[in-house]
Amino acid sequence: MVVQRGDRRADIVAAAHRCIAQFGYERATTARICAAAQVSSGTFFHYFPTKVAVLVAVLQSGVDRTREVFERIRATAADDALAALEQWREHVLAEAADEDLAGFAEALSAVPDAAEVVAVLEDEKTVVRRALVDVVTAGQRQGTVRADIAAERAALWLSIVAEAVLGHAVEEGGLPQVFASELEDVVTRVLRP
């Protein structure tokens, strides 16, 4: 079987994600990542000149997935903003249930200040915030979301709630099942017309 060049890069990114989540940024050495990806160090450095570069690729991969999820949410919002908000809640809960979340979040706190890392994290926040503004705006037009506050402000509150849920999941090592219905209740109370 012939392996595509892009497959090796994806293997390295996936292995780096697992290693960073499991061992932390410092202990996720390039040798450990290479072993997990089953590639040579030469192959690793062909794609990523530094460990920060592979971390940026891991984060960018997450942003790309987030962008795809929020494009689907936006498409749903065009016809049914409440259904789109349900998709958003499911996405938040799925992220909170990710077994690598706590380890990866802890590892990120140990990353040296790198402009590339900050830029990717800001890009993800922008993707989420813009999509939530679009969902709220659609709901306001449909009369299913309160219109007495600006869509940007409501989206900010949704982002704050999501960050709190994810932060709690990191601190507690997951979320109890009851959080799903409670999150729905919180969002309904914030956005109800």
Side-chain angles (χ1 to χ4, degrees):
M1 177 171 109
V2 177
V3 176
Q4 300 289 325
R5 291 181 65 85
D7 292 343
R8 287 287 187 212
R9 184 182 189 285
D11 291 345
I12 295 167
V13 171
H17 182 266
R18 286 189 311 274
C19 287
I20 292 168
Q22 183 176 2
F23 302 109
Y25 180 75
E26 291 301 323
R27 291 183 22 229
T29 62
T30 56
R32 192 170 255 161
I33 294 168
C34 290
Q38 299 179 351
V39 299
S40 69
S41 60
T43 300
F44 177 94
F45 288 110
H46 170 75
Y47 291 106
F48 305 104
T50 65
K51 191 165 68 167
V52 169
V54 75
L55 173 62
V56 169
V58 169
L59 294 171
Q60 187 60 55
S61 175
V63 172
D64 293 344
R65 283 190 307 276
T66 298
R67 189 173 277 115
E68 290 171 11
V69 166
F70 278 91
E71 285 305 317
R72 286 192 301 272
I73 290 171
R74 267 191 177 113
T76 300
D79 296 320
D80 187 347
L82 293 181
L85 287 167
E86 177 59 29
Q87 288 176 319
W88 169 78
R89 283 191 301 271
E90 289 172 7
H91 172 71
V92 170
L93 293 169
E95 282 191 323
D98 182 346
E99 63 187 27
D100 290 334
L101 177 66
F104 201 80
E106 184 178 326
L108 276 180
S109 69
V111 175
D113 290 335
E116 314 86 5
V117 171
V118 172
V120 174
L121 294 173
E122 286 300 316
D123 184 34
E124 184 169 35
K125 282 183 181 179
T126 300
V127 166
V128 171
R129 187 75 50 80
R130 286 182 180 159
L132 289 175
V133 168
D134 290 348
V135 170
V136 171
T137 300
Q140 289 172 333
R141 278 195 310 268
Q142 295 163 13
T144 56
V145 171
R146 64 190 288 183
D148 63 325
I149 59 174
E152 293 80 9
R153 193 72 167 173
L156 173 62
W157 279 109
L158 292 174
S159 295
I160 290 169
V161 168
E163 288 173 17
V165 167
L166 295 172
H168 185 78
V170 166
E171 289 175 15
E172 299 298 322
L175 291 177
Q177 191 64 27
V178 69
F179 269 51
S181 62
E182 290 175 356
L183 179 58
E184 181 177 2
D185 183 54
V186 168
V187 172
T188 299
R189 288 174 189 264
V190 169
L191 297 179
R192 182 181 309 142

